[in-house]
Amino acid sequence: MTPSRQFVLALTAAGVVSLSLATPLLADDEPAWAQGRSSDMADSPLSPHATPMTVTNEEDIPVDHLRMPDGFSAEIWAHGMPGARMMARGDDGTLFIGTRGIGRVYAVLDNDDGEDREHVIIAEGLTQPNGVAFKDGSLYVAAINRIFRYDDIESHLANGDDIPEPEELTEAFGLPDDEHHGWKFLAFGPDGRLYVPVGAPCNGCEVDEDTHATIHSFEPDGSDMRVEARGVRNSVGFDFHPETDELWFTDNGQDWLGEHGPQDELNRLSESGEHFGFPYCHAHGLIDPDLGSDDACDGVTMPAAMMGGHAAALGMRFYTGDMFPEEYQNAIFIARRGSWNRTLSVGYDIQVAHLSEDGERAAISPFMVGLLDPRENDFSGRPVDVLQMPDGSLLVADEQNGAIYRISYETPDYMEE
Amino acid sequence: MRLSTRAPWRRALVVWGGAAALGMSLPAASEDAPAVGLPFEAQVQVCGACHGNDGNSQETGTPSLAGQPELTIVNQMIYFRERLRQNEVMTPQARGLPDNEIQALAAYFHEQPVAPPDGEPDPELKARGQELASQQRCASCHQSDYSGREQMPRLAGQREDYLVAAMVAYRDRTRGGPDTTMIDVMRGMSDDDIEAMAHYFTYLHTEE
């Protein structure tokens, strides 16, 4: 998993110049993740890290590696679910979890009786069912090519019934089914609409601005589609500001343009239909070397915060709970799955973003670290999503280990309450 | 409280119910793979009936497992088990096998020495295959000695007929599975080129 070190110098040098010097691209028989790799990088050892598809034994889950500010502690809340990614909580306390490669949707039952929490597999054989959302008793699941609604699912789980046959909403939503960046995040907005991103079907390319590199919203039945955000390369996480209702979302920067960037973004949508730059203008205003003209960044909404180059900022939620100290109120916890497209790894952590007084910008700071070993340039876990529990604790999904951690807070002994 | 939810039968019902609800045609839940519940040595015999007990296949179209990276075997078995890769032979062999038993079998076959292939290489065909493999940058994932790495299989010494069939299936998009890397790589490749590359990989370490 550790990139060979002999390539580091050459790669760094290439990375520095590549934004201004467009090198010829390889033929189109490259795998999706290699699109945009210049010919001088053809021997690069960089490629995505494979996600384990088998159960990580409890004693091998790196919960002891986790480091947070004083007062916070982490425990294993549920485990044994290979590929666990995006989380949604049912009204009765069931935690629903999407995956990618292994094609399953898990449900962790709310049965805290001192033993390991039981989970069941409520769907399998799907194509990257990453997106899960819950509303009015129904679970919504978005795979790359299909969308399902499981009605009244928690009562069926509670009774030990078979899982009800889902309602298929694929045609109603009418979304593209590209594999590349086709996995979906799902969340309901305060307006009751279902928000669905559609990533760019490429590393970098021209797209139809009404169908790709967007965040759409729909009525829950798939009707009344609106394009809420354009120029969004690949968002796999968003939430709505608890006071302003604004949509805030992460977006993953383009690969193969350099070791350090363009950086991933934390964005704020102030007006429906805004453009966030892809494929012409990246990150904090970098003009694409192939597709961008001199005015490529005019009219583009700049990020509220930069999230690191290739760090894979994914699931994020505003914090509104009672458990954590006051400074976390309305701050955003952001999971960074960790990089592959750079030789010096970054991410593999949870960052916290604090908003400016005017609510337009944010500053990020490490909150949960320890899964990246910087001396070995290797990692032991990959956080992909966060979820606030009713008691104010925070769940973190670790895709690498198929585990859910729970982070809680107690005032340290040296502080007065 | 909720002790009943820990019973394995209920979990199995939920799993099968969920899959059935998605409109997939499934065998009855009782049709676990023949190796399920057997001791390890007997499981090796089940696999070995086609793949060879030492992992060197003597069956046309059946790949050798000897010397394959463990993760290669594990991932493909899980693709079969989860029906992410449809295969009428292998899916019934994988259903119900637990992760740790798949991992133990993968470790065993990984340890087995690779037997030299039958037959003799055609030097001209092998040279052409070498050139094509170099153009296609196969070694960048499968390693310069084609011994494979992690989820990327060993090609050196693999059965020629299997390599041809696998590459054709990727090209024609008839081999599924979550990883689409090989589909992209094989796009538009001719039958002749595939045969040359397969020949090269099979006889890679054979003296001419």
Side-chain angles (χ1 to χ4, degrees):
Chain A
M1 300 226 178
T2 310
S4 316
R5 280 173 184 76
Q6 65 266 34
F7 289 100
V8 169
L9 276 179
L11 178 71
T12 308
V16 168
V17 296
S18 63
L19 270 178
S20 54
L21 177 72
T23 38
L25 303 182
L26 293 178
D28 61 0
D29 58 359
E30 290 287 317
W33 55 264
Q35 283 176 17
R37 185 171 61 181
S38 60
S39 54
D40 57 358
M41 289 285 286
D43 288 322
S44 162
L46 300 177
S47 66
H49 308 297
T51 300
M53 303 213 301
T54 44
V55 169
T56 302
N57 293 326
E58 187 171 9
E59 60 270 25
D60 297 328
I61 295 172
V63 66
D64 293 342
H65 297 193
L66 302 178
R67 290 290 175 270
M68 288 143 291
D70 280 2
F72 291 95
S73 58
E75 63 191 304
I76 298 172
W77 188 82
H79 64 98
M81 298 173 288
R85 279 178 61 99
M86 298 305 168
M87 299 182 284
R89 192 170 182 276
D91 293 340
D92 298 338
T94 310
L95 186 73
F96 298 100
I97 306 170
T99 65
R100 283 186 54 196
I102 201 164
R104 294 172 170 174
V105 179
Y106 300 104
V108 183
L109 306 178
D110 179 31
N111 56 352
D112 182 15
D113 56 359
E115 296 184 57
D116 284 354
R117 281 181 184 76
E118 175 73 358
H119 68 265
V120 294
I121 298 163
I122 59 173
E124 64 166 11
L126 298 177
T127 306
Q128 305 195 26
N130 183 66
V132 286
F134 192 90
K135 188 175 178 59
D136 298 334
S138 297
L139 172 70
Y140 293 72
V141 173
I144 280 186
N145 49 352
R146 303 170 83 179
I147 295 189
F148 299 102
R149 189 186 70 222
Y150 293 80
D151 292 329
D152 213 16
I153 187 163
E154 287 188 288
S155 56
H156 291 277
L157 285 168
N159 296 337
D161 298 347
D162 286 354
I163 300 302
E165 189 168 332
E167 191 79 23
E168 178 147 11
L169 302 172
T170 306
E171 278 188 37
F173 279 85
L175 292 163
D177 61 359
D178 309 89
E179 289 259 345
H180 200 155
H181 293 151
W183 50 99
K184 312 284 193 302
F185 181 81
L186 285 185
F188 280 96
D191 53 4
R193 292 170 65 84
L194 186 58
Y195 285 69
V196 189
V198 180
C202 57
N203 177 37
C205 62
E206 304 263 5
V207 294
D208 180 336
E209 294 194 347
D210 291 325
T211 61
H212 286 86
T214 55
I215 297 175
H216 295 302
S217 76
F218 299 83
E219 289 298 318
D221 64 1
S223 64
D224 191 27
M225 188 274 279
R226 287 204 298 253
V227 178
E228 301 286 356
R230 299 179 206 274
V232 180
R233 180 174 173 274
N234 188 32
S235 175
V236 197
F238 42 78
D239 197 11
F240 300 84
H241 190 290
E243 290 171 0
T244 67
D245 288 349
E246 285 167 337
L247 173 68
W248 287 66
F249 61 93
T250 55
D251 188 17
N252 284 242
Q254 195 159 312
D255 299 322
W256 301 115
L257 289 177
E259 167 85 4
H260 299 281
Q263 292 207 14
D264 292 355
E265 305 166 13
L266 172 65
N267 287 306
R268 177 183 73 105
L269 180 76
S270 59
E271 205 173 315
S272 186
E274 268 178 280
H275 201 291
F276 291 84
F278 181 86
Y280 313 109
C281 175
H282 304 291
H284 53 299
L286 301 171
I287 295 171
D288 187 87
D290 292 323
L291 301 177
S293 53
D294 289 348
D295 59 356
C297 291
D298 294 357
V300 166
T301 304
M302 288 295 125
M306 308 304 298
M307 295 303 303
H310 313 292
L314 303 183
M316 52 157 278
R317 320 273 174 167
F318 284 92
Y319 186 78
T320 58
D322 296 330
M323 182 187 283
F324 293 0
E326 178 63 27
E327 70 172 293
Y328 294 96
Q329 272 305 306
N330 294 354
I332 313 171
F333 289 104
I334 304 171
R336 299 197 304 175
R337 184 169 179 255
S339 63
W340 63 266
N341 192 230
R342 58 184 296 164
T343 54
L344 182 62
S345 297
V346 299
Y348 306 91
D349 59 13
I350 304 292
Q351 297 280 320
V352 59
H354 289 97
L355 273 53
S356 59
E357 288 297 338
D358 64 8
E360 295 183 3
R361 295 282 176 267
I364 67 167
S365 177
F367 175 73
M368 187 197 88
V369 301
L371 297 173
L372 173 64
D373 178 349
R375 295 175 68 182
E376 295 296 326
N377 203 32
D378 205 354
F379 61 90
S380 56
R382 307 194 81 176
V384 286
D385 199 15
V386 291
L387 190 78
Q388 181 186 316
M389 293 290 274
D391 68 355
S393 61
L394 189 74
L395 299 185
V396 174
D398 176 356
E399 181 181 20
Q400 184 77 8
N401 295 293
I404 308 295
Y405 309 118
R406 176 179 177 268
I407 298 177
S408 56
Y409 179 80
E410 277 187 48
T411 306
D413 293 340
Y414 60 76
M415 281 177 65
E416 290 189 24
E417 295 210 37
Chain B
M1 142 186 176
R2 284 186 192 277
L3 280 176
S4 65
T5 64
R6 288 179 218 289
W9 62 266
R10 180 180 175 278
R11 174 163 171 176
L13 274 184
V14 172
V15 170
W16 289 101
L22 297 173
M24 300 163 189
S25 59
L26 304 178
S30 59
E31 284 183 20
D32 271 337
V36 168
L38 297 181
F40 176 74
E41 299 300 332
Q43 289 184 330
V44 169
Q45 305 271 329
V46 171
C47 305
C50 297
H51 293 281
N53 282 348
D54 64 356
N56 288 287
S57 163
Q58 300 301 315
E59 292 268 337
T60 306
T62 300
S64 291
L65 304 178
Q68 287 292 344
E70 292 182 43
L71 193 61
T72 295
I73 302 175
V74 167
N75 277 12
Q76 295 303 322
M77 284 296 285
I78 288 175
Y79 292 162
F80 291 131
R81 187 188 70 191
E82 304 288 323
R83 291 194 177 74
L84 297 164
R85 179 180 165 196
Q86 302 292 340
N87 184 290
E88 60 188 29
V89 177
M90 280 308 298
T91 290
Q93 299 295 328
R95 287 305 294 179
L97 272 182
D99 288 359
N100 57 353
E101 294 180 16
I102 288 174
Q103 286 168 309
L105 289 164
Y108 168 82
F109 284 111
H110 167 71
E111 290 295 323
Q112 303 307 307
V114 180
D118 294 338
E120 297 294 323
D122 169 345
E124 206 174 309
L125 190 59
K126 187 176 165 185
R128 207 165 84 74
Q130 180 171 14
E131 193 180 325
L132 286 161
S134 168
Q135 279 171 23
Q136 290 298 113
R137 320 192 57 78
C138 304
S140 66
C141 294
H142 294 278
Q143 305 282 71
S144 52
D145 63 355
Y146 295 97
S147 60
R149 176 169 61 90
E150 297 191 41
Q151 78 274 23
M152 295 157 286
R154 177 188 184 92
L155 305 177
Q158 181 57 277
R159 287 187 65 91
E160 193 173 1
D161 52 13
Y162 173 76
L163 288 173
V164 169
M167 284 191 274
V168 166
Y170 279 125
R171 181 197 64 194
D172 297 346
R173 306 190 71 123
T174 55
R175 172 161 163 164
D179 188 348
T180 58
T181 294
M182 280 302 295
I183 292 174
D184 296 318
V185 170
M186 293 305 299
R187 191 174 293 139
M189 189 75 66
S190 74
D191 286 350
D192 286 350
D193 288 353
I194 286 173
E195 279 165 23
M197 285 192 294
H199 194 75
Y200 168 61
F201 297 137
T202 298
Y203 293 104
L204 190 71
H205 300 307
T206 307
E207 296 295 326
E208 290 167 20

